[in-house]
Amino acid sequence: MTKTSGTPLNAQTCQLICDAVTDRFDKQVSFLADFVRIPSLRFEEAPAQDFIAAALQDRGYEVDEWQVRLSELEPLPGFGPIHGDFSRARTVVGTHRPGVTHGRSLILQGHLDVVPTGPVDMWTHPPFEPKIIDGWMYGRGAGDMKSGTVAAIFALDALRHAGFEPAARIHVQSVIEEESTGLGALSTLQRGYRADLAVLPEPSGHTVNRAQIGVLWFRIAVKGRPTHVAVAQEGSNAIMAAHDVIRALQKLEADWNARAAQDPVYGDVPHPLNFNPGQIAGGDWASSVPAWCNVDCRIGVLPGQDLAAAKSEIEACVSAASRDHPFLSNNPPEVIWNGFQAEGYVLGPEAEPGLAAMRRSHAAVFGKGAELAERKMTALTDTRFYGLYYGIPAFCYGPQAENIHGFDERVNLDSFRRTTEVLALFIADWCGLNHMSGG
Amino acid sequence: MTKTSGTPLNAQTCQLICDAVTDRFDKQVSFLADFVRIPSLRFEEAPAQDFIAAALQDRGYEVDEWQVRLSELEPLPGFGPIHGDFSRARTVVGTHRPGVTHGRSLILQGHLDVVPTGPVDMWTHPPFEPKIIDGWMYGRGAGDMKSGTVAAIFALDALRHAGFEPAARIHVQSVIEEESTGLGALSTLQRGYRADLAVLPEPSGHTVNRAQIGVLWFRIAVKGRPTHVAVAQEGSNAIMAAHDVIRALQKLEADWNARAAQDPVYGDVPHPLNFNPGQIAGGDWASSVPAWCNVDCRIGVLPGQDLAAAKSEIEACVSAASRDHPFLSNNPPEVIWNGFQAEGYVLGPEAEPGLAAMRRSHAAVFGKGAELAERKMTALTDTRFYGLYYGIPAFCYGPQAENIHGFDERVNLDSFRRTTEVLALFIADWCGLNHMSGG
């Protein structure tokens, strides 16, 4: 086997690579279905990591799998607290090291944790039994973001099948916790993985995220005074009190969005900072005034907004809402930080070389003049860890998906194929190619 | 052994009986503690029923224990639907049959189901480890109503130890489900148990309930449109929508209480009909707009208020609250009837002989001139089944308890002893006594 460095990415090479994607696309779709079939819900991601580790091993990558230890991550910037059983938390990294390096190194990161399905009977098809209908694959995680991870793996396959290898180090990183803390991404950085650029094939609909907000997760733990409902007025209903606190936080949300209208980045985005009371549990008995109510919340923060200050504002808001309440005034709710402690992130000029390469690859697939749209996200991705704390510019580019976090989540299969083509061309452009000849 | 009928209840006999209570009171307190120690939460009452069955067996009563079958109860008036595992539901009845009958027959009914503890860390002492402090016994169920059941059993013991037996048939009935449907009480009636009067030693604080309200239990099952919180405004938050429905039901509660001000029985009771959202659960993820929220509710109805009409009003209220809601208007919440379907109950003249006997017994213990107060309850008891559907007048008389359904539930031990004395004298009065001589 010999290797030739610096193969130029001409039209013919592009065609060769895209053909290699097309040739293997049936296999790729079936691989995605197998991946979606594994219900990689939070704290239950291990079998899905095994699936990816095996796929990377089969392809001959150097595979590093390890258990994530909270104690090692806790001191690092961007850490978010975990409430749950983290004992089976693992990260998988497959590394490609070229014979001859002359390109720029690259991290391709996918997360395989998926958000809960919600009531399964509200899905048209069971969420972990992927179905293909009219060119879309349905299933929890099909969009967010198993298709992206699979596109990255098959993009690399396509290069190999077209007779090339990337001419720089590449890490294919499979992580967990993207939807709740980002600790999976953080674990790769703690382990020492670095590159010149990180691309995350999140379902961006063929756009790149120029900016993303930060996110805080917290639980409001409200107490009540339980009594027999016969004397309900002597008690304090924790469910109703929790709602008063939610209403106060909705006012804080409005204040923050009013401030956001002046933001240099998000000023033109209507209502960028969403507050969501996403989960609630309280009380034990219809006929007892409920003694407790927990509300799990998420709120967005602007890039550059100081997290400690934002947290203080939230705590002050909860405290103010309690002050006039006959029971809460002496029994203020607790604010428990139980997940994301994520700052916003805006791409600067350091990302320009990567973006330029992505623009070229996108145009090569979608046609000359096809513009690569940029988005300001009202959500977050793991890119922040790379960009904010390790000097590695990071952005997302991935397929078109719908209903992510909702029922009947789906990814468009044509877009899935094109994403694979774009990523393959992007890798070729960014990392360079060595020609592999049999020998 | 010979029996003498018609022993008169003179002052000397009263003293003899009360002394017999006092003599055995230490044993009685320790028996109550053992009973409270059994956590007879809903659907988990079987060991507590075993405990009572054994106590009745030891005392030589004819004991009837049976499994409660829903199919047999469903056609009966007062039935409330069960959502849960009813497979271990049992009723225990211990029957005393005198050698010579010359008094009136009596049902003494206690329920041993207890309401949930709520968060155990909000109790000063663990709820199922009874503690005696300053003359009160603390523990879940100590007040509501294990002390009452124990008082009835030990009242009968005291008569025997004083050398008597009740001169009429008595059924000591230990039932479940008082706190949720009343199906335990209904099961004794379905089985055929009847008497001239039923007394339930609920923790009435030495009063009798002249009237009690009815109660409906229902679940409001609210749906939402889940989305990623990044686009929260495209979704519909089921937790917030559920709250809108709760607010509408609070208005219905206000309407009903305004109507209640005209009620011949409850007109002088401020706010007799309490609505309580007692338990809530919704959503699966802080960062997803929640797709569902269930609220378990209880609402009171007036005696004589038609249950079918009340249920229609509730359904209409939920439906009206949904009509202007962008999502609920096309996805109206479901109202699920999942417990009490209980009518109110007011004692009429048919209860007068029983009440007169109770007045005499109460005065015998608390001193001449001690008035037996009557209450109009804003809650319900099992008495309704006996009185409304089987022509058996039924009322409550029992000890003083505090914080029932709350934390640190407790019963006053002096009141517990006096209740036992009152019940013993009441049995002697109502049923008559046969004198038992050794032989």
Side-chain angles (χ1 to χ4, degrees), chain A residues 116 118 122 217 223 228-230 237 240 243 274 276-288 291 298 378 405 407, chain B residues 116 118 122 217 223 228-230 237 240 243 250 274 276-288 291 298 378 405 407:
Chain A
M122 293 173 82
W217 266 21
K223 291 199 173 168
H228 193 297
V229 64
N237 187 314
M240 300 310 290
H243 196 81
N274 288 311
N276 187 55
Q279 192 164 14
I280 194 166
D284 301 289
W285 199 247
S287 287
S288 300
R298 175 269 198 201
T378 54
H405 291 218
F407 305 130
Chain B
M122 293 173 84
W217 267 22
K223 293 199 173 170
H228 194 296
V229 63
N237 186 316
M240 300 310 290
H243 196 81
Q250 286 183 321
N274 287 311
N276 187 54
Q279 192 164 14
I280 194 167
D284 301 289
W285 199 246
S287 288
S288 299
R298 174 270 198 201
T378 53
H405 291 218
F407 304 131

Side-chain angles (χ1 to χ4, degrees), chain A residues 14-310:
Chain A
C14 286
Q15 195 54 53
L16 212 57
I17 292 170
C18 292
D19 288 350
V21 169
T22 305
D23 288 348
R24 297 180 50 79
F25 191 61
D26 284 351
K27 273 191 187 156
Q28 182 178 339
V29 169
S30 130
F31 183 93
L32 174 59
D34 289 344
F35 193 17
V36 171
R37 225 166 257 130
I38 303 173
S40 48
L41 296 157
R42 195 180 187 198
F43 303 131
E44 297 164 21
E45 308 93 343
Q49 284 291 37
D50 292 339
F51 177 87
I52 292 297
L56 296 173
Q57 211 100 46
D58 286 352
R59 285 158 170 82
Y61 297 109
E62 175 192 313
V63 174
D64 185 13
E65 295 188 66
W66 71 95
Q67 186 170 345
V68 183
R69 287 194 191 80
L70 284 182
S71 58
E72 295 172 340
L73 303 182
E74 212 158 350
L76 302 181
F79 177 82
I82 290 275
H83 290 239
D85 177 6
F86 208 60
S87 63
R88 296 183 302 279
R90 284 163 63 246
T91 305
V92 172
V93 175
T95 295
H96 159 78
R97 294 182 201 281
V100 180
T101 296
H102 57 88
R104 291 159 293 188
S105 60
L106 178 65
I107 286 167
L108 292 164
Q109 185 209 283
H111 71 85
L112 51 67
D113 54 310
V114 298
V115 298
T117 60
V120 171
D121 60 357
M122 293 173 82
W123 288 68
T124 310
H125 309 289
F128 298 114
E129 291 175 23
K131 279 258 177 327
I132 297 174
I133 300 165
D134 294 337
W136 295 78
M137 183 186 290
Y138 289 79
R140 171 59 84 229
D144 185 10
M145 66 165 282
K146 289 179 173 175
S147 48
T149 304
V150 172
I153 292 171
F154 278 78
L156 287 163
D157 288 357
L159 294 175
R160 181 178 307 189
H161 283 264
F164 304 104
E165 70 155 15
R169 182 169 39 84
I170 296 180
H171 302 299
V172 179
Q173 307 193 154
S174 175
V175 306
I176 63 171
E177 281 290 315
E178 192 269 349
E179 301 286 5
S180 38
T181 56
L183 292 193
L186 189 58
S187 77
T188 67
L189 290 154
Q190 183 274 332
R191 188 85 161 183
Y193 288 99
R194 304 285 185 274
D196 296 318
L197 180 73
V199 172
L200 283 60
E202 291 271 4
S204 70
H206 303 284
T207 69
V208 294
N209 54 324
R210 164 62 65 179
Q212 66 183 36
I213 57 151
V215 166
L216 291 168
W217 266 21
F218 55 99
R219 166 171 292 182
I220 315 167
V222 181
K223 291 199 173 168
R225 182 170 30 226
T227 58
H228 193 297
V229 64
V231 289
Q233 55 285 351
E234 292 173 16
S236 175
N237 187 314
I239 293 172
M240 300 310 290
H243 196 81
D244 292 345
V245 177
I246 290 173
R247 289 281 181 217
L249 287 164
Q250 286 183 321
K251 286 204 191 93
L252 184 73
E253 177 193 20
D255 290 350
W256 284 10
N257 280 290
R259 265 187 253 166
Q262 312 303 321
D263 188 72
V265 178
Y266 276 92
D268 59 351
V269 177
H271 206 280
L273 304 177
N274 288 311
F275 163 65
N276 187 55
Q279 192 164 14
I280 194 166
D284 301 289
W285 199 247
S287 287
S288 300
V289 173
W292 64 279
C293 187
N294 293 336
V295 189
D296 288 333
C297 301
R298 175 269 198 201
I299 196 165
V301 297
L302 288 172
Q305 189 172 348
D306 181 64
L307 284 198

Side-chain angles (χ1 to χ4, degrees), chain B residues 22 33 80 155 215 298 358 383 426:
Chain B
T22 305
V215 166
R298 174 270 198 201
M358 189 57 87
T383 55
F426 174 80

